[in-house]
Amino acid sequence: MENKMICSVCGKEENRYEMVKLNGEWYCVDCLDEKYFYCEEHRDYEPIENRVAFEDVYDNHREICQEAFDDNYIICDGCGRPMRRGDEYIIGDDYLCSHCYEERKVIKHYHYHHGQEIHFHGNPTNGIYFGLEIESEREYDCDIDKNYIASSVRDVVGDNIIYFEEDGSLDDGFESITHPMSYEFMRNNSIVEDIVDTLSDNGMWTSERCGLHIHVSKTDEVARKMPLILSFLESNKNELIRFSRRTYDSFHEWCEFYTDGDLLTAYEAERICLRPQGRRHMCINFTNEHTIEFRCFAGTLDAKRVYGYIEFILALLENIEELFSISDKPTFKELEKVSGFSLLKENLVF
């Protein structure tokens, strides 16, 4: 009999190893389940009336006591499910789990939008659409939430025009990324002005870490001209650095040249264009499937400079073959002469 115990509720006699002693009383499994449950948080049995059973934001089924729930959990204002205190994200007055936060925040994580639906705007006669990546950071005394700033820009230009992503090169900023637009659509609808003015008005600026990246449609004609354009830029490194308003250090870190000397031949440039070999942080990035990315320009919230850089790319595309018919190593001054594009235009000063 010393290995048998009697349940204090139903009187059933069981092997002591199949019973539980709680508060000086022995319980069989059935009677224990009617009166108590095991709190996963306190690792002890608690009265059944204190039980809180739920699915947390990670789809885990939990059974804990009310005290443990109140002390350790908070309700997500997005999906209504509990999450551990300390795991919450805050937007405005709402406490959100990581999933609801990612869904609700305007500035998504880096490359979040890859694979999303692309909206094209305008009908370019030359077949070329432009996409902008405008990097900016909060000014030191700016206490406005970044997601609020981004949502303000989106409210002005529309969510089918622009979206936003974090960027690892920025300390306290984000990228404002446009959907593809023709240059005429951009100018006629003041798209760039609306973006940069709203960013500036809300305390954003461009530090030395910021860049302006301009994507160009990779049409057959554009791709055909790229070796000559690359050769032109590599042969005029000093002029390009001054024109783009970047520094030598920022070129080395975020938009490297392909050569140390002068790249003079179209043959050498063609080999680079056809085989970029994953080299993305270059003055021109050839690794994207549908676009060619000019990464050489310093960040700016001046609409005139943004348009000027686009016009510079257009001047190259429209005149590069004529330039090389004149000289094996054409210069910026010769580009001005042939294209009529002034490097001083719209405050694009050396």
Side-chain angles (χ1 to χ4, degrees), residues 226-236 263-266 269 324:
M226 274 302 125
L228 290 176
I229 290 176
L230 178 60
S231 180
F232 174 83
L233 297 182
E234 293 276 341
S235 298
N236 293 277
L263 183 64
L264 299 178
T265 70
F324 273 86

Side-chain angles (χ1 to χ4, degrees), residues 27 48 108 114 142 165 188 202 209 214 217 257 278:
Y27 294 89
I48 195 73
K108 306 297 187 181
H114 275 198
C142 177
E165 291 182 357
N188 293 338
N202 284 276
R209 290 177 292 272
I214 301 177
S217 300
F257 288 108

Side-chain angles (χ1 to χ4, degrees), residues 94-122:
D94 289 343
Y95 293 82
L96 305 170
C97 66
S98 58
H99 175 76
C100 292
Y101 175 73
E102 286 295 331
E103 288 298 315
R104 186 179 297 187
K105 76 173 185 176
V106 181
I107 306 171
K108 306 297 187 181
H109 58 76
Y110 189 49
H111 283 175
Y112 174 91
H113 293 91
H114 275 198
Q116 71 164 353
E117 181 182 2
I118 301 297
H119 302 280
F120 289 84
H121 301 278

Side-chain angles (χ1 to χ4, degrees), residues 42-71:
H42 290 157
R43 297 184 180 180
D44 199 0
Y45 288 95
E46 301 280 353
I48 195 73
E49 58 268 22
N50 292 337
R51 183 177 66 145
V52 179
F54 59 91
E55 300 283 335
D56 67 14
V57 295
Y58 305 108
D59 296 325
N60 298 315
H61 180 77
R62 304 301 308 276
E63 290 190 3
I64 62 178
C65 68
Q66 187 67 54
E67 180 184 4
F69 183 86
D70 294 340
D71 289 344

Side-chain angles (χ1 to χ4, degrees), residues 28 66 71 79 106 166 200 210 242 247 312 338:
C28 67
Q66 187 67 54
D71 289 344
C79 62
V106 181
E166 301 282 357
S200 297
C210 298
R242 293 166 60 197
T247 64
F312 171 67
V338 169

Side-chain angles (χ1 to χ4, degrees), residues 35 59 108 129 142 146 151 197 210 232 235 333 337:
K35 289 183 172 291
D59 296 325
K108 306 297 187 181
Y129 289 90
C142 177
K146 288 190 297 185
S151 66
D197 289 349
C210 298
F232 174 83
S235 298
K333 291 299 182 182
K337 184 177 180 180

Side-chain angles (χ1 to χ4, degrees), residues 20 26 65 87 89 95-96 118 137 163 241 268 294 338:
V20 175
W26 287 94
C65 68
D87 288 350
Y89 295 83
Y95 293 82
L96 305 170
I118 301 297
E137 295 191 289
Y163 56 93
I241 291 173
E268 293 171 314
F294 286 77
V338 169

